[in-house]
């Protein structure tokens, strides 16, 4: 109880750690993306940690310009802050003059911040009987009746996850066009999947009184970095941007923003996995007797406990007895202690939550049975919780190194989570066994082949894993922009195992030709019988030359390549120039024939390093012509 006193929010991870309860806690409290960043991104940050902590970041204008390029927006329509709460603070100080209307329950800073500065806060209660759904017409009527000068809505709303469709938000902005300011907080909109394009940022830049607020820490799983941004008409955005400190963004924020382009497929995949987790978790919670579950488009689920249950006691028992941290919403305006907000997590964590809730609420774990294999989709079974950092769950859903390194044992059947080190050791052992088997088998004839080009993978190593499943990308495979020069190997550099000397198959041919030319005369000229002495009948043997040797008695037929084909590059070590064919001495020699030219097989397919390796990209906003103009009017 002491951890939750004196704060309107839940205790931080560091507070829990100092109290000795943060080591084995599953976090259902902080709404974060558990599938992002990827291990490759964390590896880059680890390599660059010293530089990140030592040097100043670039100015906020530089970081904002990069983020604008990523989102397809103009930098003059944006302002980046040290978390969305910094932007909320500046909006209140600069643009909220006397009153603000907001539906409740909602994010606490939209009610607390204006009251701290003496503004009047008009609260519109969302109806519980309607699932906390916001009626836009009723809210507009409320704003008119109260005479509010600023209106704020969170879409999706926090904590219930209710979402207004895009057309309803645009209609509401039109109805409130005479207000000083309309704020649409889209901090959780990246998790919504009810429509293809629910954001209204393209409408905000065209209107003089609309601001759209977005968060980066929530959807990118990096609350500790503290960065967010707003989008507005340039004349409105500059009022906020000009007041922000020059270096209000830290070096971690800069490195992350400049890395995002390279990991868009992995980010899109994490959102799809979260959507499936939300649907499954909602259905499982709804099976608990007396528990009310409200529909959500965020990465959290709003629930009402059974009648008579006290949320604070349930929260404390879940933490102390089951190691599960939840958000009890008794301190949220418009809510009560009977409500909880539960962050979406993968199945292993959800089972722990269900077991804890069943035990605390009903005194038995009967209502939280373990799911059978035929009832659970494969993605849930193959994804350990993000609380196990040694094996991020999203990495096993893709056809990655794990599925190739351990083909004999599916990931859901593992009794213990497999670490990356174990996977790499298994992959190395498999490669060694394959090499030993190849050395024991007869070597096939060599043919000229195009070496497999090295893939310049800029999307987390996924394409390289598909072409070379036994290889797992290490931090040195990251692009040069993300790693120190000492850890980067240029894609065009020749691997160490390739020889650069001018010794190859063509040189071996020259040596064999010289040896044949120096052979005894009996191997170079036809034998003619003497007419003076009759000899017993012998089978005739064909005429031999240095270039045409019969393929009998273990001898070799030598095929010279086309001089024009090899004259251009005398250093090719993989060019075919001979084909040994062994025939036993008991078999008659075949008749001499003109050897056919060795036909090389088709070149091996190469990997296109410029193509992304995963489905989906980050949402880019359409750019109306009204705000695509540059400062000079072009």
């Amino acid at each position: 109880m002491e951890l939750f006193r004196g704060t309107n929010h839940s205790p931080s991870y560091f507070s829990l750690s100092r109290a000795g309860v943060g080591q084995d806690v599953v976090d259902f409290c902080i709404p974060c993306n558990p599938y992002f960043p990827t291990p490759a991104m964390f590896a880059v940050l680890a390599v660059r940690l010293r530089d990140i902590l030592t040097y100043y970041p670039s100015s906020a204008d530089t970081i904002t310009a990069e983020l604008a390029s990523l989102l397809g927006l103009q930098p003059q329509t944006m302002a980046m802050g040290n978390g969305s709460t910094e932007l909320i603070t500046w909006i209140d100080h600069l643009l909220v003059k006397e009153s603000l209307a907001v539906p409740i329950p909602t994010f606490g800073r939209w009610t607390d911040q204006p009251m701290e500065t003496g503004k009047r806060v008009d609260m519109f209660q969302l109806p519980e009987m309607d699932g906390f759904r916001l009626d836009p017409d009723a809210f507009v009527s409320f704003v008119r009746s109260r005479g509010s000068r600023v209106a704020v809505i969170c879409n999706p709303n926090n904590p219930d996850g209710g979402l207004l469709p895009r057309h309803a938000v645009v209609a509401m902005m039109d109805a409130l066009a005479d207000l000083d300011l309309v704020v649409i907080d889209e901090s959780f909109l990246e998790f919504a999947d009810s429509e293809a394009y629910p954001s209204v940022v393209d409408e905000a830049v065209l209107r003089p009184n609309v601001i759209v607020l977005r968060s980066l820490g929530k959807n990118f799983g990096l609350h500790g970095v503290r960065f967010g941004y707003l989008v507005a008409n340039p004349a409105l955005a500059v009022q906020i941007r000009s007041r922000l400190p020059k270096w209000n963004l830290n070096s971690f924020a800069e490195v992350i923003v400049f890395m995002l382009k390279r990991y868009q497929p992995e980010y899109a995949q994490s959102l799809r996995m979260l959507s499936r987790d939300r649907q499954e978790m909602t259905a499982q919670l709804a099976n608990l007797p007396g528990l009310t579950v409200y529909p959500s488009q965020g990465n959290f689920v709003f629930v009402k406990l059974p009648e008579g249950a006290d949320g604070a006691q349930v929260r404390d028992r879940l933490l102390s007895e089951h190691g599960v941290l939840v958000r009890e919403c008794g301190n949220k305006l418009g809510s009560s202690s009977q409500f909880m907000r539960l962050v979406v997590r993968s199945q292993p964590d959800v089972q722990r939550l269900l077991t804890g809730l069943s035990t605390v609420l009903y005194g038995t774990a009967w209502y939280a049975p373990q799911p059978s294999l035929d009832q659970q989709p494969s993605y849930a079974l193959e994804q350990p919780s993000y609380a196990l950092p040694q094996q991020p769950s999203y990495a096993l859903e893709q056809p990655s190194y794990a599925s190739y390194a351990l083909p004999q044992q599916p990931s859901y059947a593992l009794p213990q989570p497999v670490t990356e080190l174990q996977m790499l050791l298994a992959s190395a052992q498999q490669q060694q066994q394959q090499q030993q088997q190849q050395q024991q088998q007869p070597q096939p004839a060599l043919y000229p082949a195009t070496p497999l080009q090295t893939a310049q993978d800029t999307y987390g190593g996924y394409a390289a894993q598909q072409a070379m499943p036994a290889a797992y990308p290490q931090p040195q495979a990251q692009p040069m922009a993300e790693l120190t020069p000492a850890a980067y190997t240029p894609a065009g550099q020749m691997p160490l195992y390739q020889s650069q000397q001018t010794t190859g198959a063509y040189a071996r041919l020259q040596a064999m030709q010289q040896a044949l030319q120096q052979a005894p005369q009996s191997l170079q000229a036809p034998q003619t019988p003497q007419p003076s002495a009759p000899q017993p009948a012998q089978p005739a043997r064909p005429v031999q030359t240095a270039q045409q040797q019969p393929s009998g008695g273990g001898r070799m037929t030598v095929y010279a390549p086309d001089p024009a084909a090899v004259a251009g590059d005398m250093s090719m070590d993989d060019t075919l120039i001979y084909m040994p064919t062994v025939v036993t001495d008991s078999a008659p020699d075949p008749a001499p024939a003109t050897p056919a030219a060795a036909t090389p097989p088709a070149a091996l397919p190469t990997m296109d390093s410029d193509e992304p390796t995963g489905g989906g990209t980050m949402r880019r906003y359409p750019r109306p012509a009204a705000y695509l103009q540059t400062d000079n009017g072009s």
Side-chain angles (χ1 to χ4, degrees), residues 459-536:
Y459 291 90
Y462 183 61
Q465 292 167 10
Q466 289 180 317
M468 298 172 288
Y472 177 67
Q474 298 296 328
Q476 63 266 24
Q478 299 303 321
M480 183 178 293
E482 301 174 7
L483 288 176
T484 57
Y488 175 73
T489 301
Q493 178 176 322
M494 180 174 293
L496 298 178
Y497 57 80
Q498 292 185 3
S499 173
Q500 301 185 25
Q501 300 179 1
T502 318
T503 61
Y506 190 77
R508 292 195 296 270
L509 172 63
Q510 292 179 330
M512 285 187 287
Q513 289 177 339
Q514 294 175 1
L516 290 174
Q517 291 174 358
Q518 298 174 2
Q521 184 69 20
S522 59
L523 296 179
Q524 299 186 20
Q527 300 295 330
T528 305
Q530 297 295 332
S532 59
Q535 298 292 336

Side-chain angles (χ1 to χ4, degrees), residues 220-296:
F220 290 140
L222 293 167
H223 279 295
V225 174
R226 306 303 304 145
F227 56 169
Y229 67 99
L230 62 80
V231 182
N233 183 282
L236 187 56
V238 71
Q239 297 185 46
I240 304 294
R241 189 171 59 248
S242 62
R243 299 298 184 93
L244 294 172
K246 184 75 171 178
W247 283 286
N248 67 322
L249 301 176
N250 56 58
S251 298
F252 274 108
E254 178 175 8
V255 172
I256 292 295
V257 168
F258 276 85
M259 289 172 63
L260 292 178
K261 282 185 179 179
R262 307 181 186 276
Y263 296 95
Q264 293 183 50
E266 288 83 353
Y267 173 67
Q269 175 71 0
S270 72
L271 296 181
R272 288 192 294 268
M273 295 169 67
L274 265 171
S275 177
R276 293 192 294 264
D277 286 348
R278 180 181 63 228
Q279 296 175 19
E280 186 167 283
M281 179 176 168
T282 301
Q284 292 171 316
L285 288 170
N287 289 329
L288 297 180
L291 193 73
T292 304
V293 183
Y294 299 95
S296 173

Side-chain angles (χ1 to χ4, degrees), residues 42 48 470:
F42 279 121
R48 302 195 61 185

